[in-house]
Amino acid sequence: MNRIRGWLLLIFAVLALSVVVGGAGFYRAQEMRVRQEVTSNLEAIAHLKAAEIERWRAECLDEAGELTERTLMGELIERWLADPRPELGEEVLTRFRSLQKYEHYENVSLVDASGQVRLSLHAAQNSLHTEALQELADALREKQPKLSDLHGGPGEISPHVDAIAPVCSSGDRASQPTAALVLRNDARQFLYPLIQEWPVPSESAETLLVRREGDSVLFLNELRHIKGTALNLHIPLSRVEVPAVMAVLGKTGIVEGMDYRGVPVLAAVLPIANSPWFMVSKMDEEEAFAVWRFRSKLILAGALGLLLVIAAATAVIWQWNDKAHFRRLFEAEAARLRSEARYRTTLLSVGDGVIATDAEGRVELLNPVAESLTGWTQQEGMGRPLEEIFPIVNEETREPVENPVRRVVREGRVVGLANHTVLVAKDGAEHPIADSGAPIRNAEDVITGVVLVFRDQTAERAAQKALQQSEEQFRAVVENAPEPIFIQTRGCFAYLNPAALALFGAANQEQLLGQSVVEQFTPEFRAGVRERIRRLNEAREPVPPIAEKILRCDGGEPVEVEVLASPFVYKSQKGALVFMRDISERARQEEEKERLREQLLQAQKMESVGRLAGGVAHDFNNMLGVIIGHIEMVLEQVEPGTQIHHDLEEV
C-alpha cells in the first residue's frame, strides 16, 4: 500500500512537472508564433512599399528619358529658343499640358543651361529649388535624365520630386544639351498616399520615409501622431534607440526600439534601392502583442486548472486505493483458491500422465492417465516414494533408470528421460514412455516439489513402425523398377533409382544429388523443362508425356527419352516424381522407317518417269515412220544429184 502511495506521489510530481514544462514550452511557442506573424507582416509591408517606390522612381526616370529621345519635342523647343515667338511658345505649352494631363505632373517647365525657367505651366513658379538645380547641372553634363531628392519650395510649393530630361539640339544626343524639361511630381499625388496607407485597421501602425541629413535623420513624410513634420522633423543620430536612426546607420530587418514619441515599437527597416531614402514600417508593441497578452493569460489559467485537476484526481485515487486495499486482499485470496482448484482440475484432465511429488520424491498427486498407466490410484499412491509408483527401466538393457525427481532437484531445471525408457506398471505391464520433469518453486524461488509429465508411446511407435515398413516397401519397389525414376525438389535431384543413374551415365547418386535437373537436358529442351518444373512446384499440375533429350555424365551421346512427371511431396518439400523411358532405339527405328519410305517414294517416281518416257518415244517413232516413208516416196520422184534430192537425203 505504501508502495502504491509512493507511486501516486511520483506520478503526481511527473504530471505536474510535465504540465509546467509543457505549458512553458507551449507558452514560448505561441509567443514566438505571434511575434513571427507580426514581424512577417511588418517586413512584407515594408518590402511591398519599398518596391512600389522603387518602381515609381524608375518610371519617372523612364518617362524623362522618353522625352529626351523625342526628336520633335527637341526640335520644337530648339526653334522656340532661337525665335521665342508667342505662337511657338503656346505650341510648346500645349505639349506641356498634354504631358501634365496624361502623366499627372503637377507642373512642367523648360529651363535653360543656367537654370532659368523659360516656360512653365505655372507662371508664378519661375525658379528652381537648389536640389533641382544640382540635378539639372548633372543631367546636362551627363546628357542623362535625373531625379531630384524629395524637397519643398521654393516658396510655398508643396513637397515634390523633379524629373529632369535634357533636351538635345535637333535630337542629337552627341551634342551638348541647351535646355532641359523639369517634370514636377507632387508627393501628395502618389508618394505620400502610398506611404500612409496601411493594409489593415490599426491604431498605431505607420510607415516612415527618412533620409540622412548631416548628423540627423530627416522625416520626409507627414507622421501619423505629429502634424507638420514632412521635411521638418529632425532626430539626431545619437538617439540610436530610434528605428529611423537605426535604418540610416545601416541596420536592416526587424528591430525593437523607441519611436519619435518615446513609445516602444517593433519595426522593419530597409533601404530603398537607387535612392538616399530608407523605409521604416513600425507598430507599437502594446498593439502588436495585445492578442498575445490575452492568449498568455488563457494559457496560464489553463495550466493552473490542469494542475488543480491532477491534484484532485490524485487525491481521489489515494482515497480509493485505501478503500480498495482490503477488498483486493480478500479477492486475491479467493482467486488463489479458485486458481488452485482450476490447476488441479487441469492436471487431472490433461491427456498425458501427471505425477506431482514433494522435494523428497513422495507422491502427492496422480491424474487419471497416470493412474491408468501405473496401476496405482491417487489414494494408494499418496505419500509413497516415486520409485515404487513410477518404476522405469531401459528398454534394451533392462537396467533401472535414475529417479527423475532426484535429477530435477539436483540440477534445478527441466529434465527429460532418455529414449527407450519403459514404465513397469503395478500389474507388470510395460509401456514405452516419453517423460519430462520440472521443478515446483515457492515465492522465495526454493524447490518445494517436482511435477512429472509423461505419455504412452505404444501407439506412436506402432505408427512409426508402420511408416518405416511403408517407406521400405516403396524404396524396394522404386529401387528395383526397370524404368528410370527420380525425385526433384526446388529444381534439383533429390533421389535417383539405379535405372535412372544408368540412364544418366552416373556412377552413384552423389554425382547428381543436389544438381540442377534442367542442366541435365540438352540446351534446346531446357526452357521447356524449366517451365514444366514451375508448373509442378507452383500450380501442382501433372505434366503429360513428352519426348526430350538428356546429357550423360560419362560424356556419351545424348539419350532421347520420354518423360512423365507428377506433383509429389518429398520430406515435407514440394517436388515431382518423374518417370523416364529410353526411346532412342524406337527413334532410330522411326528414322530407318522414314528413310525406307522415302526410298520407296523415289523408286516409284523413277518408274513413273520411265513409263512416261517410253510412251513418248513410241508416239514419236510412229510420227517419224510416217515422215521417213513419205520422204522416200518423194526421193524416187526427184532427179538424183539435184539440190532438192540432197536436202531430202539429209532429212
Side-chain angles (χ1 to χ4, degrees):
M1 185 173 179
N2 291 332
R3 185 178 181 182
I4 294 177
R5 289 177 175 177
W7 276 107
L8 281 175
L9 291 175
L10 178 61
I11 292 172
F12 172 76
V14 170
L15 291 177
L17 182 61
S18 300
V19 170
V20 172
V21 174
F26 181 72
Y27 182 94
R28 181 61 178 168
Q30 289 295 310
E31 182 183 17
M32 294 299 295
R33 188 176 70 82
V34 171
R35 178 174 290 272
Q36 181 64 33
E37 289 179 358
V38 173
T39 56
S40 297
N41 291 338
L42 289 174
E43 285 185 324
I45 292 171
H47 282 283
L48 179 63
K49 293 194 175 185
E52 286 292 319
I53 292 174
E54 291 171 13
R55 182 183 61 78
W56 174 72
R57 287 175 58 88
E59 289 178 354
C60 290
L61 283 174
D62 290 343
E63 291 168 2
E66 290 180 3
L67 291 176
T68 300
E69 298 292 340
R70 290 184 184 179
T71 304
L72 294 178
M73 176 70 80
E75 291 178 351
L76 178 60
I77 292 173
E78 181 181 359
R79 291 205 315 272
W80 182 83
L81 290 173
D83 183 13
R85 289 178 296 164
E87 59 271 18
L88 285 178
E90 185 59 32
E91 186 176 352
V92 173
L93 289 175
T94 300
R95 299 287 183 92
F96 288 178
R97 293 187 190 96
S98 177
L99 284 174
Q100 183 186 42
K101 177 180 179 181
Y102 293 107
E103 303 298 342
H104 307 290
Y105 295 124
E106 192 271 334
N107 188 23
V108 180
S109 302
L110 174 65
V111 298
D112 57 20
S114 63
Q116 181 181 356
V117 177
R118 302 293 300 274
L119 277 178
S120 176
L121 291 178
H122 299 298
Q125 300 177 8
N126 55 6
S127 62
L128 296 181
H129 193 274
T130 54
E131 290 277 354
L133 290 174
Q134 179 61 42
E135 295 300 332
L136 172 64
D138 293 341
L140 295 176
R141 183 180 66 256
E142 298 175 11
K143 305 176 186 178
Q144 294 290 338
K146 294 292 181 178
L147 202 64
S148 73
D149 202 345
L150 183 65
H151 60 273
E156 299 298 325
I157 299 176
S158 61
H160 60 275
V161 174
D162 291 327
I164 301 171
V167 178
C168 297
S169 177
S170 302
D172 184 5
R173 295 298 304 274
S175 62
Q176 183 64 33
T178 58
L181 293 178
V182 179
L183 312 173
R184 181 168 298 166
N185 294 276
D186 192 341
R188 296 173 301 178
Q189 297 298 319
F190 175 80
L191 188 59
Y192 284 174
L194 171 65
I195 296 172
Q196 293 165 357
E197 179 186 5
W198 196 264
V200 294
S202 173
E203 296 180 358
S204 64
E206 65 177 322
T207 307
L208 311 177
L209 191 65
V210 300
R211 73 170 182 244
R212 180 170 182 171
E213 195 166 274
D215 294 332
S216 64
V217 174
L218 175 63
F219 288 76
L220 304 182
N221 62 303
E222 288 290 337
L223 303 181
R224 179 173 186 171
H225 306 288
I226 302 177
K227 301 304 180 183
T229 56
L231 298 175
N232 291 322
L233 178 61
H234 290 77
I235 292 181
L237 297 182
S238 58
R239 293 184 58 185
V240 294
E241 77 280 3
V242 178
V245 175
M246 298 180 189
V248 300
L249 292 180
K251 280 194 176 182
T252 59
I254 298 298
V255 298
E256 295 183 22
M258 309 291 286
D259 75 346
Y260 52 86
R261 300 168 295 158
V263 176
V265 295
L266 192 66
V269 299
L270 73 158
I272 296 178
N274 303 316
S275 77
W277 300 344
F278 296 87
M279 175 64 63
V280 179
S281 176
K282 71 178 185 67
M283 178 181 290
D284 290 358
E285 286 190 359
E286 182 177 359
E287 179 185 0
F289 299 114
V291 175
W292 162 241
R293 291 188 181 90
F294 176 73
R295 290 183 185 176
S296 64
K297 293 177 182 178
L298 291 180
I299 293 173
L300 292 175
L304 182 59
L306 189 57
L307 285 174
L308 292 176
V309 169
I310 294 173
T314 303
V316 171
I317 295 173
W318 188 288
Q319 294 180 358
W320 176 85
N321 180 68
D322 289 345
K323 294 178 181 178
H325 176 64
F326 294 105
R327 186 187 307 113
R328 288 197 299 270
L329 292 178
F330 173 78
E331 292 176 351
E333 181 64 19
R336 185 184 65 81
L337 295 177
R338 289 195 301 271
S339 176
E340 289 182 356
R342 182 169 65 253
Y343 290 148
R344 184 178 183 86
T345 302
T346 302
L347 290 176
L348 295 176
S349 303
V350 297
D352 292 342
V354 179
I355 299 177
T357 73
D358 59 16
E360 301 300 326
R362 291 183 292 270
V363 174
E364 294 180 343
L365 177 132
L366 289 91
N367 74 342
V369 177
E371 291 178 339
S372 174
L373 292 176
T374 62
W376 294 81
T377 64
Q378 171 72 23
Q379 291 75 17
E380 293 173 341
M382 180 68 68
R384 291 179 179 273
L386 182 66
E387 290 87 346
E388 183 180 352
I389 304 300
F390 190 70
I392 51 178
V393 298
N394 186 282
E395 185 177 15
E396 297 177 351
T397 65
R398 309 304 298 179
E399 293 292 330
V401 177
E402 180 185 7
N403 187 336
V405 174
R406 304 286 183 259
R407 286 188 60 196
V408 171
V409 174
R410 182 176 67 250
E411 299 178 11
R413 60 182 180 85
V414 177
V415 299
L417 293 178
N419 293 331
H420 309 294
T421 299
V422 175
L423 168 65
V424 182
K426 184 178 181 182
D427 59 2
E430 295 185 356
H431 305 282
I433 62 170
D435 176 87
S436 64
I440 301 174
R441 300 179 184 272
N442 61 14
E444 289 74 27
D445 202 32
V446 177
I447 297 177
T448 59
V450 176
V451 60
L452 301 177
V453 181
F454 57 94
R455 68 179 185 277
D456 187 0
Q457 291 187 309
T458 303
E460 182 179 338
R461 290 191 179 185
Q464 290 178 349
K465 185 175 181 181
L467 178 61
Q468 184 178 2
Q469 291 176 350
S470 175
E471 289 180 350
E472 290 176 353
Q473 291 175 356
F474 171 77
R475 180 174 291 275
V477 170
V478 174
E479 290 284 346
N480 295 287
E483 296 293 337
I485 301 173
F486 70 85
I487 297 174
Q488 71 85 16
T489 58
R490 298 181 180 178
C492 298
F493 290 103
Y495 167 80
L496 298 95
N497 72 346
L501 292 174
L503 183 63
F504 282 105
N508 50 55
Q509 290 212 33
E510 286 69 19
Q511 194 171 351
L512 285 175
L513 287 182
Q515 302 296 319
S516 173
V517 174
V518 175
E519 297 301 323
Q520 289 303 123
F521 286 79
T522 55
E524 65 271 18
F525 294 103
R526 288 176 183 171
V529 173
R530 188 176 292 106
E531 174 60 21
R532 284 189 289 279
I533 289 176
R534 186 195 64 78
R535 288 172 52 195
L536 287 166
N537 291 343
E538 298 179 4
R540 314 299 295 161
E541 298 177 357
V543 177
I546 188 169
E548 295 169 315
K549 283 187 179 182
I550 62 172
L551 300 172
R552 289 180 58 85
C553 298
D554 55 9
E557 289 293 327
V559 180
E560 188 166 358
V561 296
E562 186 178 59
V563 181
L564 174 64
S566 180
F568 184 73
V569 178
Y570 180 72
K571 295 182 178 180
S572 302
Q573 295 184 6
K574 293 180 180 180
L577 183 63
V578 184
F579 298 87
M580 304 178 69
R581 180 179 301 164
D582 186 352
I583 59 173
S584 300
E585 184 61 31
R586 188 175 70 184
R588 284 194 293 271
Q589 291 176 359
E590 291 292 336
E591 291 177 1
E592 181 64 21
K593 184 187 295 185
E594 183 66 22
R595 187 180 62 79
L596 293 175
R597 188 176 69 83
E598 291 179 357
Q599 288 180 354
L600 176 61
L601 290 175
Q602 185 67 22
Q604 290 174 345
K605 289 179 183 179
M606 294 302 294
E607 182 181 359
S608 298
V609 172
R611 289 178 179 176
L612 177 61
V616 172
H618 184 269
D619 292 341
F620 191 57
N621 284 336
N622 290 339
M623 295 172 62
L624 288 177
V626 174
I627 294 171
I628 292 171
H630 282 76
I631 292 297
E632 289 177 348
M633 292 173 60
V634 173
L635 282 172
E636 292 178 356
Q637 299 175 14
V638 176
E639 186 69 26
T642 64
Q643 184 62 37
I644 294 176
H645 189 277
H646 175 71
D647 292 339
L648 290 174
E649 285 181 341
E650 289 295 325
V651 173

